[in-house]
């Protein structure tokens, strides 16, 4: 069993087109939630989202590639490029044949699919774009990463709603730890800003009409986001042998199912996933100093997650710092776990814990230290990153600072 380290990260989100911009916004408590610009919201009750602004595909891809890639797949490739560049991977044919690419996405290229259906049902066209299927398939992100770098090893996509990319990273971690893959690129991507998708979320009545206020008494729901996050994972000995700089160590992964309700969470499933991540990482609860919470800012989620944390950590829960970075980059659905994993890694690396932004008044039922509004300097030994999905599917990643 190998120790596994993260040697590269990549992010594109409402907080910037790269990891540096993302981290700058997180540490200054700058929210990327604004009025939605990329689509007409006149038919939608909510007007705010966390879009990737100023994104011009032609600045990153050739025209022939853009025609084959939905927005979500473009985000996946861009974040993988950045992560691999930071890791400084030097490819050999053997490494290409053995490297794993595991991605997560809740929706895949549903935006491309909707465009085709709009032409068919609304504009009366007799057929859709001939590339609708390859544009819309959820594995397109993984496939395009493989094609971009000539990677021929195990590659697949996981779709477990909002836990998709956390599950992807956890599976990749286990593969590298066991020796099944000498290197893995893992994360997720999402591009949910299209009319049909937004109307579907509107129907659920869980989207805020102003902003995202996790754990705050004034919270009114989640805010949708988009983007991608990717990690490069490799055995510690391989990273050190080639002179790479580990950013953090990934030590544990836990997952569970609530087996309850399709949309209403219960505390037992998240509690079990956190306990399993601690056990997998041989971590005592007292070693955890920070949790990047799922923290959607819905009443049920925030209270259930608080209860789950108390259940797992007991008296230590009062000493934990807990924040939801969704308050800044929005809820990126299948990409959320990966974006938040990057945030967790950077927190350990730099000794800065990002805040829960937009916080007003504490909810007595969410009685945790949620780092309200301002980042905090703190050296933390280990942290958890929580992802809890519709359908009651839970994934928790455990990271340790690399010293």
């Amino acid at each position: 069993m190998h120790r596994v380290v993260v040697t590269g990260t990549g992010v594109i989100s409402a907080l910037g087109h790269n990891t540096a911009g993302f981290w700058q916004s997180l540490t200054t408590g700058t929210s990327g939630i604004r009025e939605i610009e990329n689509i007409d919201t006149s038919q939608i009750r909510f007007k705010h989202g966390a879009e990737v602004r100023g994104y011009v595909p032609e600045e990153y891809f050739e025209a022939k590639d853009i025609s084959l890639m939905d927005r979500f797949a473009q985000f996946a490739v861009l974040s993988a490029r950045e992560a691999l560049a930071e890791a400084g991977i030097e490819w050999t044919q053997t490494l290409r044949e053995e490297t794993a690419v595991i991605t997560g996405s809740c929706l895949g290229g549903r935006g491309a699919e909707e465009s085709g259906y709009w032409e068919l049902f609304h504009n009366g066209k007799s057929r859709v774009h001939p590339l609708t299927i390859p544009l819309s398939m959820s594995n397109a992100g993984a496939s395009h990463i493989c094609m971009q770098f000539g990677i021929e090893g195990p590659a697949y996509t996981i779709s477990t709603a909002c836990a998709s990319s956390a599950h992807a990273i956890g599976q990749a971690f286990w593969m590298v730890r066991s020796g099944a893959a000498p290197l893995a690129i893992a994360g997720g991507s999402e591009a949910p800003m299209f009319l049909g998708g937004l109307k579907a979320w509107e129907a659920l009545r869980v989207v805020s009409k102003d902003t995202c206020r996790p754990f705050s008494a004034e919270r009114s729901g989640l805010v949708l986001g988009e983007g991608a996050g990717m990690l490069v994972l490799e055995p510690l000995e391989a990273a050190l042998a080639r002179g790479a700089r580990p950013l953090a160590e990934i030590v544990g992964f836990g997952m569970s199912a609530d087996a309850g309700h399709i949309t209403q969470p219960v505390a037992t499933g998240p509690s079990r996933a956190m306990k399993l991540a601690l056990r997998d990482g041989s971590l005592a609860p007292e070693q955890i100093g920070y949790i990047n919470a799922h923290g959607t800012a819905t009443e049920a989620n925030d209270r259930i997650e608080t209860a789950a944390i108390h259940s797992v950590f007991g008296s230590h829960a009062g000493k934990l710092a807990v924040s939801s970075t969704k308050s800044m980059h929005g809820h990126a659905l299948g990409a959320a776990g990966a974006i938040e994993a990057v945030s967790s890694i950077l927190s350990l690396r730099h000794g800065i814990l990002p805040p829960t932004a937009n916080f007003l008044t504490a909810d007595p039922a969410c009685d945790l230290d949620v780092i309200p509004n301002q980042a905090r300097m703190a050296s933390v030994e280990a942290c958890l990153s929580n992802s809890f999905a519709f359908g009651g599917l839970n994934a928790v990643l455990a990271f340790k600072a690399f010293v």
Side-chain angles (χ1 to χ4, degrees), residues 121-388:
F121 299 131
H122 185 267
N123 292 337
K125 296 292 181 65
S126 62
R127 60 182 182 177
V128 299
H129 191 285
L131 298 176
T132 299
I133 294 299
L135 282 165
S136 62
M137 60 191 190
S138 294
N139 63 293
S143 296
H144 282 288
I145 291 169
C146 290
M147 291 185 285
Q148 176 97 172
F149 297 98
I151 297 168
E152 300 174 351
Y156 59 96
T157 295
I158 293 171
S159 187
T160 51
C162 307
S164 298
S165 55
H167 274 115
I169 293 168
Q171 293 289 317
F173 160 57
W174 280 353
M175 288 183 74
V176 175
R177 184 173 68 176
S178 70
L183 184 76
I185 303 160
S189 61
E190 209 76 90
M193 302 296 183
F194 52 92
L195 180 61
L198 298 184
K199 289 296 289 183
W201 279 100
E202 177 188 82
L204 277 173
R205 300 184 181 277
V206 295
V207 181
S208 173
K209 291 183 180 179
D210 55 5
T211 194
C212 181
R213 304 183 192 278
F215 304 112
S216 178
E218 297 82 0
R219 66 192 182 279
S220 56
L222 60 85
V223 172
L224 291 168
E226 63 176 350
M230 292 289 166
L231 309 181
V232 174
L233 308 179
E234 57 185 305
L236 172 61
E237 62 271 24
L240 295 180
R242 65 181 187 84
R245 181 192 67 170
L247 304 176
E249 184 174 1
I250 179 168
V251 295
F253 174 49
M255 52 183 169
S256 68
D258 290 355
H261 191 275
I262 197 70
T263 60
Q264 296 299 315
V266 295
T268 52
S271 297
R272 190 162 55 253
M274 283 188 275
K275 289 176 181 177
L276 289 169
L278 293 173
R279 187 175 75 183
D280 191 47
S282 299
L283 291 167
E286 293 73 25
Q287 289 178 269
I288 303 298
Y290 169 65
I291 296 177
N292 186 301
H294 187 58
T296 60
T298 61
E299 183 172 352
N301 175 88
D302 290 0
R303 293 185 174 190
I304 288 296
E305 186 166 13
T306 299
I309 290 170
H310 278 292
S311 172
V312 173
F313 291 94
S315 61
H316 184 62
K319 301 174 185 177
L320 283 169
V322 179
S323 69
S324 171
T325 53
K326 286 185 178 72
S327 59
M328 293 173 276
H329 55 67
H331 192 344
L333 306 180
I339 292 171
E340 291 155 19
V342 174
S343 174
S344 301
I345 290 160
L346 295 175
S347 296
L348 293 174
R349 178 73 182 170
H350 298 291
I352 304 174
L353 307 181
T356 301
N358 312 312
F359 191 85
L360 296 176
T361 308
D363 177 352
C366 300
D367 57 344
L368 299 167
D369 174 7
V370 298
I371 319 179
N373 299 319
Q374 291 188 328
R376 181 181 302 165
M377 300 291 292
S379 294
V380 172
E381 178 186 359
C383 72
L384 298 183
S385 182
N386 287 345
S387 296
F388 308 138

Side-chain angles (χ1 to χ4, degrees), residues 82-112:
E82 183 185 17
L84 285 165
E86 182 178 33
I89 300 299
E90 295 183 4
W91 293 107
T92 65
Q93 184 55 34
T94 300
L95 187 59
R96 285 190 168 98
E97 291 174 358
E98 296 178 350
T99 292
V101 177
I102 307 176
T103 62
S105 185
C106 176
L107 301 175
R110 198 73 58 79

